[in-house]
Amino acid sequence: MRHLNLTSQRQAVYDIVRESHDHPTAAEVMNRLVERGHNLAYGTVYNSLRYLADKQLIRELKLGEAASRYDARMDDHQHIICERCGAVDEVMSHVPEHWMEAVAKETGYTIGHAHVVFGGICSACQNKVVN
């Protein structure tokens, strides 16, 4: 088992990410900590997120945006991002084996895992009236 050093600050950050279903950015984690009465420095939040990701308690998502997002769901899943509002949702479909085989054949890599990010327009944005 991996050695964990969950300080009270790291635990607070972990709790925020684990309870969030919207894949928050570091700034959003910081805002939620403040709402709960925590007074942590930005550096502490960033370092805590890095530590939790390094210990594989959370996943850092780099989805083509300027800021990384964080996900406490560690099982195999994909993500979809709304190209209008930036919402991020989980996709529980697995990457088809033949895709991974095709990528391995094309690149010569041995594929260990895959993470696919889909893009589209979420239902909330589709339902908005365009003025």
Side-chain angles (χ1 to χ4, degrees), residues 52-77:
L52 295 168
D54 288 347
K55 293 296 183 178
Q56 299 180 345
L57 292 172
I58 65 173
R59 183 185 306 180
E60 180 179 9
L61 303 173
K62 297 181 183 201
L63 303 174
E65 301 173 295
S68 293
R69 292 177 173 263
Y70 297 90
D71 188 358
R73 190 169 188 164
M74 297 301 291
D75 59 344
D76 185 26
H77 65 283

Short mmCIF file of all heavy atoms in Angstrom, two decimals, residues 52-77:
data_model
loop_
_atom_site.label_atom_id
_atom_site.label_comp_id
_atom_site.label_asym_id
_atom_site.label_seq_id
_atom_site.Cartn_x
_atom_site.Cartn_y
_atom_site.Cartn_z
N LEU A 52 -1.95 14.75 -4.29
CA LEU A 52 -3.05 13.80 -4.42
C LEU A 52 -3.03 13.09 -5.78
O LEU A 52 -3.32 11.90 -5.87
CB LEU A 52 -4.39 14.51 -4.20
CG LEU A 52 -4.60 15.08 -2.79
CD1 LEU A 52 -5.80 16.02 -2.77
CD2 LEU A 52 -4.76 13.96 -1.77
N ALA A 53 -2.66 13.84 -6.83
CA ALA A 53 -2.55 13.23 -8.16
C ALA A 53 -1.37 12.25 -8.20
O ALA A 53 -1.48 11.15 -8.74
CB ALA A 53 -2.41 14.31 -9.23
N ASP A 54 -0.24 12.64 -7.61
CA ASP A 54 0.93 11.76 -7.58
C ASP A 54 0.65 10.47 -6.83
O ASP A 54 1.18 9.41 -7.18
CB ASP A 54 2.13 12.48 -6.95
CG ASP A 54 2.72 13.56 -7.84
OD1 ASP A 54 2.39 13.61 -9.05
OD2 ASP A 54 3.52 14.37 -7.32
N LYS A 55 -0.18 10.56 -5.80
CA LYS A 55 -0.54 9.37 -5.00
C LYS A 55 -1.73 8.62 -5.60
O LYS A 55 -2.22 7.67 -5.02
CB LYS A 55 -0.84 9.77 -3.55
CG LYS A 55 0.36 10.29 -2.80
CD LYS A 55 1.43 9.22 -2.64
CE LYS A 55 2.60 9.73 -1.82
NZ LYS A 55 3.61 8.70 -1.62
N GLN A 56 -2.19 9.07 -6.76
CA GLN A 56 -3.29 8.45 -7.50
C GLN A 56 -4.59 8.40 -6.72
O GLN A 56 -5.38 7.46 -6.84
CB GLN A 56 -2.87 7.06 -8.00
CG GLN A 56 -1.70 7.13 -8.94
CD GLN A 56 -1.26 5.78 -9.47
OE1 GLN A 56 -1.63 4.74 -8.95
NE2 GLN A 56 -0.46 5.80 -10.52
N LEU A 57 -4.82 9.44 -5.93
CA LEU A 57 -6.10 9.59 -5.25
C LEU A 57 -7.07 10.40 -6.10
O LEU A 57 -8.28 10.28 -5.97
CB LEU A 57 -5.91 10.26 -3.89
CG LEU A 57 -5.16 9.44 -2.85
CD1 LEU A 57 -4.86 10.28 -1.62
CD2 LEU A 57 -5.96 8.20 -2.49
N ILE A 58 -6.51 11.26 -6.95
CA ILE A 58 -7.29 12.04 -7.91
C ILE A 58 -6.56 12.00 -9.24
O ILE A 58 -5.39 11.63 -9.31
CB ILE A 58 -7.51 13.50 -7.45
CG1 ILE A 58 -6.19 14.27 -7.38
CG2 ILE A 58 -8.28 13.55 -6.14
CD1 ILE A 58 -6.35 15.75 -7.12
N ARG A 59 -7.26 12.41 -10.27
CA ARG A 59 -6.68 12.47 -11.61
C ARG A 59 -6.68 13.91 -12.09
O ARG A 59 -7.69 14.60 -11.99
CB ARG A 59 -7.52 11.60 -12.56
CG ARG A 59 -6.99 11.52 -13.96
CD ARG A 59 -7.91 10.78 -14.89
NE ARG A 59 -8.25 9.45 -14.38
CZ ARG A 59 -9.04 8.60 -15.01
NH1 ARG A 59 -9.58 8.92 -16.16
NH2 ARG A 59 -9.30 7.42 -14.50
N GLU A 60 -5.54 14.35 -12.62
CA GLU A 60 -5.47 15.67 -13.24
C GLU A 60 -5.89 15.52 -14.69
O GLU A 60 -5.36 14.67 -15.41
CB GLU A 60 -4.05 16.22 -13.17
CG GLU A 60 -3.92 17.59 -13.79
CD GLU A 60 -2.52 18.18 -13.70
OE1 GLU A 60 -1.59 17.45 -13.29
OE2 GLU A 60 -2.36 19.36 -14.04
N LEU A 61 -6.85 16.32 -15.11
CA LEU A 61 -7.35 16.26 -16.48
C LEU A 61 -6.86 17.49 -17.23
O LEU A 61 -7.13 18.62 -16.84
CB LEU A 61 -8.88 16.25 -16.48
CG LEU A 61 -9.56 15.14 -15.71
CD1 LEU A 61 -11.07 15.36 -15.67
CD2 LEU A 61 -9.23 13.79 -16.32
N LYS A 62 -6.15 17.24 -18.30
CA LYS A 62 -5.73 18.31 -19.19
C LYS A 62 -6.57 18.17 -20.44
O LYS A 62 -6.32 17.31 -21.28
CB LYS A 62 -4.24 18.19 -19.48
CG LYS A 62 -3.42 18.35 -18.22
CD LYS A 62 -1.95 18.25 -18.46
CE LYS A 62 -1.25 18.34 -17.12
NZ LYS A 62 0.10 18.74 -17.19
N LEU A 63 -7.60 18.99 -20.53
CA LEU A 63 -8.60 18.83 -21.57
C LEU A 63 -8.51 19.90 -22.64
O LEU A 63 -9.49 20.24 -23.27
CB LEU A 63 -10.01 18.85 -20.92
CG LEU A 63 -10.23 17.80 -19.83
CD1 LEU A 63 -11.60 18.00 -19.18
CD2 LEU A 63 -10.12 16.40 -20.42
N GLY A 64 -7.34 20.43 -22.85
CA GLY A 64 -7.17 21.44 -23.89
C GLY A 64 -7.53 22.84 -23.42
O GLY A 64 -7.50 23.78 -24.18
N GLU A 65 -7.86 22.96 -22.15
CA GLU A 65 -8.17 24.26 -21.59
C GLU A 65 -6.90 24.82 -20.96
O GLU A 65 -5.92 24.11 -20.77
CB GLU A 65 -9.25 24.13 -20.51
CG GLU A 65 -10.55 23.53 -21.03
CD GLU A 65 -11.51 23.26 -19.90
OE1 GLU A 65 -11.22 22.42 -19.05
OE2 GLU A 65 -12.56 23.92 -19.90
N ALA A 66 -6.96 26.08 -20.57
CA ALA A 66 -5.79 26.69 -19.93
C ALA A 66 -5.52 26.06 -18.57
O ALA A 66 -4.38 25.83 -18.21
CB ALA A 66 -6.03 28.20 -19.78
N ALA A 67 -6.56 25.78 -17.81
CA ALA A 67 -6.41 25.25 -16.46
C ALA A 67 -6.75 23.77 -16.42
O ALA A 67 -7.71 23.32 -17.06
CB ALA A 67 -7.32 26.01 -15.50
N SER A 68 -5.96 23.03 -15.66
CA SER A 68 -6.27 21.61 -15.44
C SER A 68 -7.53 21.51 -14.60
O SER A 68 -7.87 22.41 -13.83
CB SER A 68 -5.13 20.92 -14.69
OG SER A 68 -3.98 20.85 -15.49
N ARG A 69 -8.20 20.39 -14.75
CA ARG A 69 -9.35 20.07 -13.90
C ARG A 69 -9.00 18.81 -13.13
O ARG A 69 -8.08 18.09 -13.50
CB ARG A 69 -10.60 19.84 -14.76
CG ARG A 69 -11.09 21.11 -15.42
CD ARG A 69 -12.29 20.82 -16.31
NE ARG A 69 -12.87 22.03 -16.83
CZ ARG A 69 -13.93 22.64 -16.29
NH1 ARG A 69 -14.48 22.16 -15.19
NH2 ARG A 69 -14.41 23.73 -16.83
N TYR A 70 -9.76 18.54 -12.07
CA TYR A 70 -9.43 17.42 -11.20
C TYR A 70 -10.65 16.52 -10.99
O TYR A 70 -11.78 16.99 -10.90
CB TYR A 70 -8.88 17.94 -9.86
CG TYR A 70 -7.59 18.68 -10.10
CD1 TYR A 70 -7.58 20.04 -10.37
CD2 TYR A 70 -6.38 18.00 -10.15
CE1 TYR A 70 -6.40 20.71 -10.65
CE2 TYR A 70 -5.19 18.66 -10.43
CZ TYR A 70 -5.22 20.01 -10.67
OH TYR A 70 -4.06 20.66 -10.96
N ASP A 71 -10.38 15.23 -10.95
CA ASP A 71 -11.42 14.21 -10.87
C ASP A 71 -10.99 13.17 -9.84
O ASP A 71 -9.89 12.64 -9.91
CB ASP A 71 -11.55 13.55 -12.25
CG ASP A 71 -12.71 12.60 -12.38
OD1 ASP A 71 -13.44 12.39 -11.40
OD2 ASP A 71 -12.89 12.04 -13.48
N ALA A 72 -11.87 12.90 -8.88
CA ALA A 72 -11.56 11.88 -7.86
C ALA A 72 -12.01 10.50 -8.30
O ALA A 72 -11.72 9.52 -7.63
CB ALA A 72 -12.21 12.26 -6.53
N ARG A 73 -12.69 10.42 -9.41
CA ARG A 73 -13.13 9.12 -9.91
C ARG A 73 -11.97 8.48 -10.66
O ARG A 73 -11.56 8.97 -11.72
CB ARG A 73 -14.33 9.31 -10.81
CG ARG A 73 -14.97 8.00 -11.16
CD ARG A 73 -16.29 8.23 -11.82
NE ARG A 73 -16.91 6.93 -11.95
CZ ARG A 73 -18.16 6.73 -12.20
NH1 ARG A 73 -18.96 7.75 -12.35
NH2 ARG A 73 -18.64 5.52 -12.31
N MET A 74 -11.45 7.39 -10.12
CA MET A 74 -10.23 6.80 -10.67
C MET A 74 -10.47 5.57 -11.54
O MET A 74 -9.53 5.02 -12.08
CB MET A 74 -9.27 6.45 -9.53
CG MET A 74 -8.81 7.68 -8.73
SD MET A 74 -7.97 8.92 -9.74
CE MET A 74 -6.46 8.04 -10.12
N ASP A 75 -11.72 5.16 -11.68
CA ASP A 75 -11.98 4.02 -12.56
C ASP A 75 -11.83 4.45 -14.01
O ASP A 75 -11.74 5.64 -14.32
CB ASP A 75 -13.36 3.41 -12.29
CG ASP A 75 -14.50 4.40 -12.47
OD1 ASP A 75 -14.26 5.62 -12.51
OD2 ASP A 75 -15.65 3.97 -12.59
N ASP A 76 -11.77 3.48 -14.90
CA ASP A 76 -11.54 3.76 -16.32
C ASP A 76 -12.78 4.41 -16.93
O ASP A 76 -13.85 3.80 -16.98
CB ASP A 76 -11.20 2.45 -17.05
CG ASP A 76 -10.82 2.67 -18.49
OD1 ASP A 76 -10.35 3.78 -18.82
OD2 ASP A 76 -11.01 1.74 -19.29
N HIS A 77 -12.64 5.66 -17.34
CA HIS A 77 -13.73 6.35 -18.03
C HIS A 77 -13.16 7.49 -18.86
O HIS A 77 -12.00 7.85 -18.72
CB HIS A 77 -14.79 6.86 -17.03
CG HIS A 77 -14.29 7.91 -16.08
ND1 HIS A 77 -13.50 7.63 -14.99
CD2 HIS A 77 -14.48 9.25 -16.08
CE1 HIS A 77 -13.23 8.75 -14.35
NE2 HIS A 77 -13.80 9.75 -14.99
#
